[in-house]
Amino acid sequence: MATNDGSSVSVTDEREIIVEVKDLHKYFGRNEVLKGIDLVVRRGEVVVLIGPSGSGKSTFLRCLNFLEDPTTGEITVGGVHVVCGSHGSTFKKAVHQIRMKCGMVFQDFNLFPHKDATENVTEGPILVRGEKKADAVAKAHDLLAKVGLAERIDYFPSQLSGGQKQRVAIARAMAMEPVLMLFDEPTSALDPELIGEVLKVMKDLAKQGMTMIVVSHEMGFSRDVADRVVYMDAGLFVEQGPPSEVFYHPKDERTKRFLRHILPEKEPQHAAELGITAVDTEPVDIETGERPEADLSTGSEGTPVTSAVDTGIPEIPTGQGAAGELPLPPGDEKL
Ligand SMILES: Nc1ncnc2c1ncn2[C@@H]1O[C@H](COP(=O)(O)OP(=O)(O)OP(=O)(O)O)[C@@H](O)[C@H]1O
Ligand SMILES: [Mg+2]
């Protein structure tokens, strides 16, 4: 689990490597969507991936478990190593093994509509893992109870709320006993009042030590649970670190622009969780809960700072910093 002082970094260094990605590239036709990704994730780490639409977050997750074929690079998950772009039976076997080691939860649940909750959870263990039906059913009931659905084991997806469906989907992924859970915007299709119940299940998983890579702009969740936040832009991991660093002291201009302008504009509620609003562009400090002294909500001539909604390119506040630079918080020469 994360600590706000970043101490988890030294702890995680001792842990077994669950995921190792080296120089991963993915082309769709001539469009290079992943441009050389490197990543190491250790057992029990929770890594949250954020970034603008189209930056390649879903593609990266889908490449990790070979729902997409990465073009080049290397992927190791749970000790199984694959050189991407290879062919042949050894390659196919390794890809199959990696798929078995990853549980994936999608934005839109992907449940079988004609199967009830128990059957949705037992399908993979019985058909893919060869588990006996009675064992698979017992495990499914246990998992459904853990996600708070003990009373809904025989309900069909159409009889469940979005939050309940997503919890079935999490139980289904866990039933395959993965070493790694991948979540692609698991709460973005949910009504606001149902988001919390899914985030709670995810938090519980993290507490139990599950290794997780989560694409999500639920900033409160990330701040509380993530060991590491990775900011992705245009097919690259631009910046990564503990939430206290990436959210509140971003170093790269692209991260700053996303956090201070694009996020507040596109996802004001999530930005507000970090203490950022569209006109109040400097986040509160994660440790003190205070804002920097300077009022960055207006330029020196009292001009409100707004982002350029239509273009996604932020306007630069007048009278602060050199043209083309974001305003600097006082006393922070690093930024
Ligand atoms: N199957 C596909 N065929 C062709 N292009 C694709 C395909 N899937 C994704 N892309 C392109 O790859 C780029 C990255 O898409 P991706 O879905 O990974 O972005 P994302 O960061 O997950 O965005 P969002 O936040 O909107 O979900 C986009 O330009 C998209 O159009
Ligand atoms: Mg996506």
Side-chain angles (χ1 to χ4, degrees), residues 58 104-110 162 166 183-190:
S58 297
M104 180 130 177
V105 175
F106 304 87
Q107 182 178 351
D108 52 359
F109 328 124
N110 281 10
Q166 196 58 299
F183 293 86
D184 192 359
E185 304 212 40
T187 57
S188 57
L190 300 179

Side-chain angles (χ1 to χ4, degrees), residues 26-29 31-34 51-62 68 107 184-185 215 217 232 267:
K26 171 67 183 173
Y27 285 81
F28 286 111
N31 183 18
E32 189 179 20
V33 172
L34 303 180
S53 182
S55 55
K57 304 178 300 293
S58 297
T59 304
F60 175 68
L61 282 197
R62 293 170 63 81
E68 296 287 356
Q107 182 178 351
D184 192 359
E185 304 212 40
V215 173
H217 291 121
M232 185 168 190
E267 310 207 31

Side-chain angles (χ1 to χ4, degrees), residues 8-17 42:
S8 61
V9 173
S10 58
V11 174
T12 56
D13 283 349
E14 305 299 319
R15 289 184 273 180
E16 176 195 357
I17 291 176
R42 292 173 186 273

Side-chain angles (χ1 to χ4, degrees), residues 150-205:
E151 312 295 318
R152 299 282 188 277
I153 55 174
D154 54 355
Y155 279 48
F156 287 85
S158 61
Q159 299 170 309
L160 297 169
S161 72
Q164 290 168 337
K165 278 189 266 208
Q166 196 58 299
R167 286 184 281 148
V168 173
I170 293 172
R172 179 181 61 177
M174 289 299 295
M176 297 297 280
E177 301 180 17
V179 297
L180 172 69
M181 284 285 284
L182 306 171
F183 293 86
D184 192 359
E185 304 212 40
T187 57
S188 57
L190 300 179
D191 292 339
E193 69 272 18
L194 303 178
I195 289 172
E197 65 193 51
V198 172
L199 294 180
K200 182 183 176 304
V201 168
M202 293 169 64
K203 280 185 189 181
D204 288 346
L205 278 183

Side-chain angles (χ1 to χ4, degrees), residues 9-303:
V9 173
S10 58
V11 174
T12 56
D13 283 349
E14 305 299 319
R15 289 184 273 180
E16 176 195 357
I17 291 176
I18 296 294
V19 179
E20 186 160 18
V21 176
K22 287 187 187 163
D23 199 24
L24 190 72
H25 293 254
K26 171 67 183 173
Y27 285 81
F28 286 111
R30 295 171 66 181
N31 183 18
E32 189 179 20
V33 172
L34 303 180
K35 299 178 179 167
I37 304 282
D38 295 293
L39 180 71
V40 170
V41 183
R42 292 173 186 273
R43 186 178 290 282
E45 262 195 296
V46 178
V47 175
V48 172
L49 204 50
I50 61 169
S53 182
S55 55
K57 304 178 300 293
S58 297
T59 304
F60 175 68
L61 282 197
R62 293 170 63 81
C63 281
L64 256 188
N65 69 351
F66 292 89
L67 284 177
E68 296 287 356
D69 268 337
T71 310
T72 58
E74 294 175 46
I75 295 177
T76 307
V77 176
V80 180
H81 177 244
V82 168
V83 178
C84 305
S86 314
H87 301 281
S89 57
T90 310
F91 169 77
K92 283 185 185 154
K93 193 173 159 208
V95 165
H96 176 71
Q97 285 175 335
I98 286 186
R99 284 198 183 125
M100 298 274 284
K101 286 173 183 284
C102 297
M104 180 130 177
V105 175
F106 304 87
Q107 182 178 351
D108 52 359
F109 328 124
N110 281 10
L111 296 178
F112 298 114
H114 56 290
K115 292 181 187 292
D116 68 19
T118 302
E119 290 164 342
N120 263 284
V121 178
T122 57
E123 172 97 359
I126 293 171
L127 291 186
V128 183
R129 285 170 59 90
E131 290 180 20
K132 286 188 187 143
K133 186 172 177 191
D135 295 341
V137 168
K139 182 165 71 175
H141 289 171
D142 186 41
L143 284 166
L144 286 167
K146 281 196 176 123
V147 300
L149 294 173
E151 312 295 318
R152 299 282 188 277
I153 55 174
D154 54 355
Y155 279 48
F156 287 85
S158 61
Q159 299 170 309
L160 297 169
S161 72
Q164 290 168 337
K165 278 189 266 208
Q166 196 58 299
R167 286 184 281 148
V168 173
I170 293 172
R172 179 181 61 177
M174 289 299 295
M176 297 297 280
E177 301 180 17
V179 297
L180 172 69
M181 284 285 284
L182 306 171
F183 293 86
D184 192 359
E185 304 212 40
T187 57
S188 57
L190 300 179
D191 292 339
E193 69 272 18
L194 303 178
I195 289 172
E197 65 193 51
V198 172
L199 294 180
K200 182 183 176 304
V201 168
M202 293 169 64
K203 280 185 189 181
D204 288 346
L205 278 183
K207 273 191 209 149
Q208 288 156 26
M210 176 53 68
T211 312
M212 298 166 42
I213 304 179
V214 182
V215 173
S216 175
H217 291 121
E218 294 290 341
M219 297 304 193
F221 169 84
S222 303
R223 192 187 49 212
D224 297 345
V225 180
D227 294 284
R228 207 172 351 142
V229 173
V230 177
Y231 175 67
M232 185 168 190
D233 201 326
L236 286 170
F237 285 2
V238 166
E239 182 164 358
Q240 54 182 296
S244 56
E245 283 298 314
V246 175
F247 289 156
Y248 298 101
H249 305 286
K251 294 185 178 60
D252 192 280
E253 287 302 325
R254 289 163 288 184
T255 320
K256 288 180 201 172
R257 193 177 79 150
F258 177 75
L259 288 170
R260 294 182 187 171
H261 297 275
I262 298 172
L263 187 72
E265 200 57 60
K266 304 274 186 212
E267 310 207 31
Q269 215 160 345
H270 293 154
E273 288 181 294
L274 293 182
I276 309 169
T277 63
V279 292
D280 185 3
T281 57
E282 190 64 13
V284 294
D285 187 279
I286 195 168
E287 276 135 25
T288 63
E290 292 171 356
R291 292 184 192 286
E293 282 167 27
D295 177 7
L296 298 174
S297 63
T298 58
S300 62
E301 294 164 21
T303 312

